[in-house]
């Protein structure tokens, strides 16, 4: 990607002396910041902005790494062919009018794809705003040069934005408000060649980038994207739109029917350590917070609230608890040190309300905020500080440089919620950005972003955390569709998944003998051919305590099946939480797994979480932790607790089984139940493609 980011010579195809046109803006932007050679290309003009203008790229006669193309869509293929023939390595096509406008534009776009495959030239776009590198002052875009007079503020956040005008909006907003600095903004448009999977590795290796934010409308290489995020050592924030499109179709199992596209995307992002944003400002706020503190703090998230207002401190504490952080218990030494600042009548607690201390020390050189911050950050029971400040007050002193030094030396993040006079607030924002301290005007957003820092890059991510090898098994000659349940369960046993003890009975005598051998109580299931959801079809009879009840249950089942199909006799398991675990093939991500609350609750509450497979044991534990009703797994009203490590092991095995056998389209274990001897699969469906 160096020929895009650090090109040796740039041609501008479609350059013009008309300052109202984008082709002129591109040239002027290059003149302002780019230090290499710029070659305007347009057969209609002898020069543009004082530079000699060439009839074609081939007529330049000098090496050109990059061409920025800004001509009507119909002329773009010829321009790209000229570039390829002239040895240009990459083109950024900023023109619109391709697949986004319909069939005519799609034909031109397909021609560009063919040219790229034929010649090897890399194509960025089309229909994009190009590239802006604030650190190196490279603006490879048609955005209005007047915006640059406000100054591109260099920073350590890089963005990949699929929408062209949205990327321009981000830049204008950032430059106007001064809240954060930017390393690079990559507007990729229709992504016919270069996409996020090409740009993310470059940005992860870029020394000027500490965090990456992405707005994506599509994931053309979803599996590759997941693997890149999984191995990332830098925080990645993604805002994904278009999540409501229908995912798996014609599903024959609960697993696949529950796998709406957006649920899978959310699950994979969480699995691979990506922070998912829900709107644009949130994405930017999370990016700047994670860029300030790109490494996960060592503590679990015990926070001290340092505030000028007792009421604000209470609200801040509420937000901390809501976002999974906790209000720290201060050590005796910390409380004693803070107590020396306070008037004698004021008790020390957390939130730390310093206003009485500020009043006490008016007219002195005592820095109440600074002294309090030193004590709090030195407390081994404090992992970070949420600081609530009013800007513009003559009574409140705050040395941001000193605070930043204390924070970064201790490895404990400091987040500031700020309110006050507009000019004073803007001044604090600007200074805090220089020192790498995140500042917010919304208290809830400050806490939300602080929580993101504490959950950054959880265990199980990063290099060296490889999942197990896929499990290849012998499937036999079964045709497409659901396997016979007994064969399906044998397949699960082969993969190391525990299955309930059961016997297949062809008549009442065999059924009675099986029940006596297994021991009452038992459960009966009608094995009607082709039926996968037996409860919904009335093919399950539970808690059969004696032979007379068994006879009635058997006759009832055979009536429902119209005499076609056997009856399965299972040992009746004691009451416990029911879990669903499964595997399916997602159109974007390929082999995926799912876990959640099972039994009839699977469809009723849809409390399930998803991940790509194969996956690591740590990722499986994280998957279990994303179930909303996960507390039920810890034992509920006398039911046995679920061993999460055992459940994670089963999920890993299900994923390895699916990853190793392409003929398996879906696996559905529902329910998976906890017993005193561990987890056991009561019912299992395997669907073959």
């Amino acid at each position: 990607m160096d020929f895009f980011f650090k090109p040796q010579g740039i041609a501008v195809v479609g350059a013009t002396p008309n300052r109202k046109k984008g082709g002129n803006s591109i040239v002027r932007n290059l003149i302002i910041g780019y230090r290499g050679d710029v070659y305007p290309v347009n057969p209609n003009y002898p020069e543009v902005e004082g530079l000699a203008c060439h009839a074609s790229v081939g007529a330049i006669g000098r090496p050109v790494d990059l061409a920025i193309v800004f001509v009507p869509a119909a002329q773009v293929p010829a321009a790209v062919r000229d570039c390829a023939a002239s040895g240009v390595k990459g083109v950024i096509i900023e023109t619109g009018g391709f697949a986004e406008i319909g069939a005519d534009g799609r034909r031109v776009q397909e021609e560009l794809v063919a040219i790229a495959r034929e010649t090897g030239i890399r194509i960025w776009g089309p229909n994009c705003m190009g590239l802006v590198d604030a650190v190196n002052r490279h603006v490879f875009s048609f955005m209005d040069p007047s915006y640059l007079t406000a100054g591109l503020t260099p920073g350590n956040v890089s963005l990949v934005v699929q929408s062209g005008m949205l990327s321009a909006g981000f830049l204008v907003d950032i430059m106007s408000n001064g809240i954060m600095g930017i390393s690079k903004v990559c507007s990729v448009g229709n992504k016919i060649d270069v996409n996020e999977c090409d740009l993310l590795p470059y940005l992860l290796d870029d020394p000027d980038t500490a965090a990456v934010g992405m707005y994506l409308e599509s994931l053309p290489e979803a599996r590759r994207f997941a693997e890149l995020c999984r191995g990332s050592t830098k925080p990645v924030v993604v805002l994904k739109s278009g999540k409501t499109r229908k995912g798996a179709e014609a599903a024959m199992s609960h697993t696949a029917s529950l796998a709406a596209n957006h649920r899978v995307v959310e699950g994979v992002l969480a699995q691979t350590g990506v922070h998912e944003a829900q709107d644009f400002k949130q994405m930017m706020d999370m990016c700047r917070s994670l860029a300030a503190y790109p490494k996960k703090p060592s503590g679990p998230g015990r926070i001290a609230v340092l505030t000028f207002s007792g009421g604000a401190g209470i609200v801040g504490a509420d937000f901390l608890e809501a976002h999974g952080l906790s209000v720290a218990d201060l050590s005796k030494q910390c409380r004693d040190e803070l107590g020396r600042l306070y008037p004698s009548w004021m008790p020390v607690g957390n939130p730390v309300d310093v206003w009485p201390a500020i009043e006490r020390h008016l007219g002195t050189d005592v820095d109440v905020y600074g002294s309090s911050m030193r004590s709090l950050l030195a407390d081994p029971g404090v992992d970070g500080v949420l600081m609530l400040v009013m800007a513009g007050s003559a009574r409140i002193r705050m040395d941001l440089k000193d605070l930043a030094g204390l924070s970064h030396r201790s490895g404990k993040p400091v987040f500031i919620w700020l309110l006050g006079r507009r000019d004073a607030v803007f001044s604090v924002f600007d200074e805090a950005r220089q020192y790498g301290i995140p500042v917010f005007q919304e208290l809830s957003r400050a806490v939300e972003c602080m929580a993101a820092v504490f959950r950054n890059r959880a265990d199980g991510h990063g290099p060296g955390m490889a999942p197990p090898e896929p499990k290849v098994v012998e499937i036999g000659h079964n045709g497409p569709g659901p396997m016979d349940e007994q064969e399906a369960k044998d397949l699960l046993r082969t993969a190391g998944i525990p299955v309930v003890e059961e016997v297949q009975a062809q008549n009442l005598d065999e059924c009675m003998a099986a029940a006596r051998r297994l021991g009452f109580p038992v459960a009966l299931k009608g094995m009607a051919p082709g039926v996968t959801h037996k409860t919904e079809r009335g093919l399950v009879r539970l808690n059969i305590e004696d032979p007379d009840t068994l006879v009635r249950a058997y006759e009832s089942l055979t009536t429902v099946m119209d005499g076609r199909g056997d009856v399965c006799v299972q040992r009746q398991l004691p009451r416990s939480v029911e879990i669903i675990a499964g595997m399916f093939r997602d159109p974007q991500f390929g082999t995926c797994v799912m876990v959640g609350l099972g039994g009839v609750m699977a469809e009723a509450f849809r409390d399930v979480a998803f991940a790509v497979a194969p996956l690591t044991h740590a990722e499986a534990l994280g998957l279990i932790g994303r179930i909303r009703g996960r507390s039920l797994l810890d034992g509920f009203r006398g039911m046995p607790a679920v061993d999460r490590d055992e459940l994670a092991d089963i999920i890993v095995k299900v994923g390895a089984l699916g990853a190793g056998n392409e003929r398996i389209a879906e696996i559905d274990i529902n329910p998976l139940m906890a017993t005193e001897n561990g987890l056991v699969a009561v019912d299992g469906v395997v669907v073959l493609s």
Side-chain angles (χ1 to χ4, degrees), residues 1-2 4-6 124 130-138 140 152-161 167 170-171 174 180-187 199 202-214 234 283-284 287:
M1 293 287 104
D2 270 348
F4 285 116
F5 290 92
K6 302 174 184 177
W124 179 312
L131 166 66
V132 174
D133 180 344
V135 174
N136 295 297
R137 293 193 59 78
H138 289 171
F140 303 163
L152 280 174
T153 302
N156 57 359
V157 173
S158 288
L159 302 175
V160 177
V161 184
S167 58
F170 277 134
L171 278 171
I174 291 164
M180 62 182 283
I182 282 291
S183 176
K184 295 166 181 67
V185 177
C186 308
S187 170
L199 297 173
Y202 186 92
L203 296 175
L204 294 178
D205 287 337
D206 177 27
D208 297 323
T209 298
V212 180
M214 296 184 160
K234 293 179 181 178
M283 182 184 81
M284 303 298 286
C287 282

Side-chain angles (χ1 to χ4, degrees), residues 22 35 57 95 288 299 307 373 386 424 527 558 617 625 669:
R35 294 179 178 84
V57 174
T95 312
R288 63 187 176 95
T307 177
M373 185 67 75
L386 176 62
M527 309 299 287
T558 54
H617 187 83
I669 304 172

